[in-house]
Amino acid sequence: MKTVILTGQDLTLEEVALVCRHDAPVALSDTAKRNIEESRKVVEQIVDEDRVVYGVTTGFGKFSDVVINADECKLLQKNLIVTHAVGAGDPFPRDAARGIILLRINNLAKGFSGARMETVQTMIDMLNKGVTPVVPQKGSLGASGDLAPLAHVVLPMIGLGKAEYQGEVLDGGEAMRRAGIPVIELGAKEGLALINGTQVMTATGALTVYDALELIKVADIAAALSFEAHNGVEDALDPRIHVIRPHKGQMDTARILRQLIDGSKNTTRQGQIRVQDAYSLRCVPQIHGASKDAINFVKQKVEIEINAVTDNPIILKDTMEGISGGNFHGQPMALPFDFLGIAVAELANVSERRIERLVNPALSGLPAFLTKDGGVNSGFMIVQYSAAALVSENKVLAHPASVDSIPSSANQEDHVSMGTIAARKAREILGNARRVLAMELMCACQAIDMRGDKGMGVGTKPAYDIIRAQVAKLEEDRPLYEDINKCEETIIDGSLVESVEKSASAIEF
């Protein structure tokens, strides 16, 4: 697999996914190596000259007014890590933990943090040899960086904490030993250089954005199948409507739906069966389009942040200074990640409404709950219940985390972003939304079968076929959770979108 070269300047979302989920190897560019080495020389000079620079020759937070002598600099950095590793809750999944390390390396590669080359190489070796720290998900305020979870990332580097290696969770030092990676002793500034930043929220949010960009394709496919199942009125997709309200996401969605149902004999024109559809069908371009625009906005912010310096103090090589600022503050990502959660939640909200229209005989004109022997059979009745529960949970999760703040460090850090909570919530919302869309795919295919397929569109037909390859038409009641699992797996493994795009061309927005 191609090696991802880290420069600190041009890491992409696609490369993040390759490293985090497919174990693509990483390496530093020559320029990045020089930047790291030159930045380190500034830190060493600051220590040699006994200059007062936050976190290098002083304590942290409220203790910034306590000066530390040169002999205590190494102990200061070790103590920083062991006292800040106070995370709580279940660990981050492996891909997110790898993402945290990757983004921290890319941050250090810019040469504004003063870490030693040896320290950065240790993190590169952990990625390339598969040592993944066990990092609790909770405990970050998202302000002075993701301090607690990032400290857990560093623990195995100094022989402490826990790490996963070859599928086994081990003591950090043992995991490093088995992988052949020497543990290190942190030098001046290095503990702070490793934990002051937004890499936990950004890695979690970046992977969620990556998945959201794929999930919204699924949402369009599911909506197109529901359009077929309801004999939807395709006049609502006329480009002449959308060009006069030219939001990009709206115009793109109308185009994509036309692309998916092209050639369908199930869809109708205005007045053939009805004059207009309910909003959950008629307004798909406006609803899905708004989520597309929101997710693309968040993607732009993520692409900035994964190539940004979020350390403190900032080490300036040209002037040999260490300047204390606020680049660690998570607010620039906290708001976008709250927005991301809201945008994805709306995909599930409208999907659940389409499910309700499919299973409700008063709205669909089909047998109740899509079963031919209602009463003895319950059909898809409780599928809608489950979807309703998931979207209701998402409504709670979609409440913004970033509107909250709790002062910390004796009020020295008196405004915090809660951005890591926002990113974690967005990921959970996405999981719920994916499940709801899997349910819609299954229900729409059943409805098409029950209404009678007159001929499906160029994009909806392969979608129907791939669902039917996994899940047979429901003739009598059976455990449906397994069917939903199989439908969801076609989303997770990408086979649904791949099959549709192969037939109907790429879904681009």
Side-chain angles (χ1 to χ4, degrees):
M1 186 176 291
K2 180 183 176 182
T3 298
V4 174
I5 304 299
L6 301 178
T7 67
Q9 309 292 337
D10 51 12
L11 183 66
T12 68
L13 198 57
E14 291 71 26
E15 288 173 330
V16 171
L18 280 174
V19 173
C20 295
R21 293 177 173 168
H22 304 286
D23 292 354
V26 302
L28 291 171
S29 70
D30 290 341
T31 300
K33 291 176 183 177
R34 285 195 300 272
N35 288 338
I36 290 168
E37 290 167 354
E38 290 171 6
S39 178
R40 184 61 195 173
K41 290 177 183 176
V42 179
V43 172
E44 291 171 352
Q45 182 172 323
I46 288 169
V47 174
D48 289 343
E49 295 175 358
D50 291 327
R51 280 193 265 158
V52 177
V53 174
Y54 173 75
V56 181
T57 55
T58 76
F60 308 105
K62 181 62 177 174
F63 290 137
S64 61
D65 55 356
V66 177
V67 177
I68 307 298
N69 64 50
D71 294 336
E72 295 176 316
C73 280
K74 290 184 178 179
L75 180 60
L76 173 70
Q77 300 303 316
K78 179 183 178 181
N79 286 347
L80 173 69
I81 301 304
V82 297
T83 60
H84 284 51
V86 290
D90 294 332
F92 280 102
R94 183 176 185 271
D95 61 350
R98 285 178 60 81
I100 295 165
I101 300 173
L102 172 67
L103 298 191
R104 198 69 212 168
I105 295 168
N106 204 47
N107 176 94
L108 299 174
K110 293 178 79 75
F112 290 91
S113 298
R116 292 173 300 156
M117 188 64 227
E118 174 189 356
T119 300
V120 180
Q121 187 60 50
T122 298
M123 301 176 80
I124 292 171
D125 290 343
M126 291 170 72
L127 277 183
N128 290 344
K129 295 184 178 182
V131 175
T132 307
V134 175
V135 184
Q137 295 189 42
K138 300 179 182 181
S140 175
L141 296 173
S144 297
D146 287 308
L147 295 173
L150 281 169
H152 284 275
V153 171
V154 180
L155 284 176
M157 298 172 64
I158 59 175
L160 302 173
K162 298 286 185 182
E164 178 267 326
Y165 179 66
Q166 296 185 339
E168 187 178 356
V169 175
L170 305 164
D171 287 336
E174 177 62 14
M176 298 288 275
R177 186 190 68 77
R178 290 193 191 182
I181 307 172
V183 297
I184 60 172
E185 182 181 22
L186 298 173
K189 172 66 168 67
E190 288 197 299
L192 197 57
L194 292 171
I195 70 170
N196 224 347
T198 63
Q199 282 69 43
V200 176
M201 71 177 79
T202 306
T204 303
L207 290 168
T208 305
V209 169
Y210 183 86
D211 290 339
L213 290 166
E214 290 300 303
L215 191 68
I216 202 161
K217 296 181 182 180
V218 175
D220 286 349
I221 293 167
L225 280 170
S226 288
F227 214 83
E228 297 256 14
H230 283 293
N231 302 132
V233 180
E234 55 182 87
D235 297 69
L237 306 178
D238 192 314
R240 293 172 296 177
I241 295 173
H242 302 286
V243 74
I244 59 174
R245 193 193 190 192
H247 294 287
K248 185 177 186 302
Q250 176 179 330
M251 293 189 295
D252 286 345
T253 304
R255 171 181 50 77
I256 291 164
L257 289 180
R258 292 194 305 271
Q259 173 183 329
L260 295 172
I261 65 172
D262 183 40
S264 172
K265 294 181 173 58
N266 296 316
T267 59
T268 61
R269 299 306 302 266
Q270 188 170 295
Q272 279 186 278
I273 296 177
R274 68 187 77 87
V275 174
Q276 60 183 23
D277 289 316
Y279 288 4
S280 57
L281 287 177
R282 186 171 18 131
C283 299
V284 169
Q286 291 80 5
I287 298 168
H288 286 200
S291 288
K292 282 186 176 77
D293 288 341
I295 293 165
N296 274 321
F297 166 77
V298 181
K299 179 176 182 281
Q300 292 170 6
K301 293 299 182 182
V302 165
E303 288 171 337
I304 292 170
E305 192 75 354
I306 63 178
N307 291 293
V309 176
T310 58
D311 200 353
N312 181 54
I314 301 298
I315 303 301
L316 300 177
K317 300 183 289 293
D318 293 343
T319 57
M320 305 295 283
E321 292 179 278
I323 297 181
S324 186
N327 277 7
F328 48 71
H329 201 291
Q331 196 77 354
M333 299 313 301
L335 271 66
F337 289 149
D338 276 332
F339 197 15
L340 174 64
I342 292 168
V344 174
E346 278 302 290
L347 297 178
N349 275 348
V350 71
S351 176
E352 184 277 329
R353 288 293 80 200
R354 292 193 295 261
I355 292 171
E356 166 63 12
R357 300 197 73 81
L358 289 166
V359 303
N360 186 332
L363 301 175
S364 69
L366 293 168
F369 308 113
L370 302 176
T371 184
K372 62 184 179 182
D373 294 315
V376 174
N377 291 314
S378 294
F380 291 82
M381 179 189 295
I382 309 303
V383 173
Q384 185 269 331
Y385 284 43
S386 182
L390 289 170
V391 299
S392 290
E393 181 177 325
N394 276 354
K395 291 168 189 174
V396 175
L397 292 171
H399 178 81
S402 57
V403 298
D404 187 29
S405 179
I406 296 177
S408 57
S409 195
N411 233 39
Q412 175 76 355
E413 299 164 6
D414 54 357
H415 180 278
V416 298
S417 78
M418 304 299 183
T420 310
I421 298 172
R424 288 175 37 238
K425 291 194 303 93
R427 187 187 64 227
E428 191 167 353
I429 288 168
L430 186 137
N432 289 340
R434 184 177 60 211
R435 186 74 171 178
V436 173
L437 287 166
M439 295 174 185
E440 183 184 358
L441 291 166
M442 185 175 71
C443 289
C445 289
Q446 180 78 6
I448 289 167
D449 287 339
M450 299 197 80
R451 196 179 298 280
D453 177 20
K454 298 176 182 177
M456 299 178 68
V458 67
T460 46
K461 183 61 165 66
Y464 172 91
D465 287 343
I466 201 162
I467 296 301
R468 278 288 170 257
Q470 299 297 320
V471 175
K473 178 184 176 183
L474 187 69
E475 299 289 355
E476 57 185 29
D477 282 355
R478 63 175 183 253
L480 290 176
Y481 74 93
E482 294 177 342
D483 291 352
I484 300 168
N485 289 346
K486 291 175 182 177
C487 290
E488 188 174 8
E489 187 56 36
T490 69
I491 301 173
I492 294 170
D493 67 17
S495 58
L496 175 71
V497 171
E498 181 182 3
S499 177
V500 170
E501 290 189 322
K502 189 178 295 183
S503 177
S505 75
I507 299 173
E508 296 178 337
F509 53 90

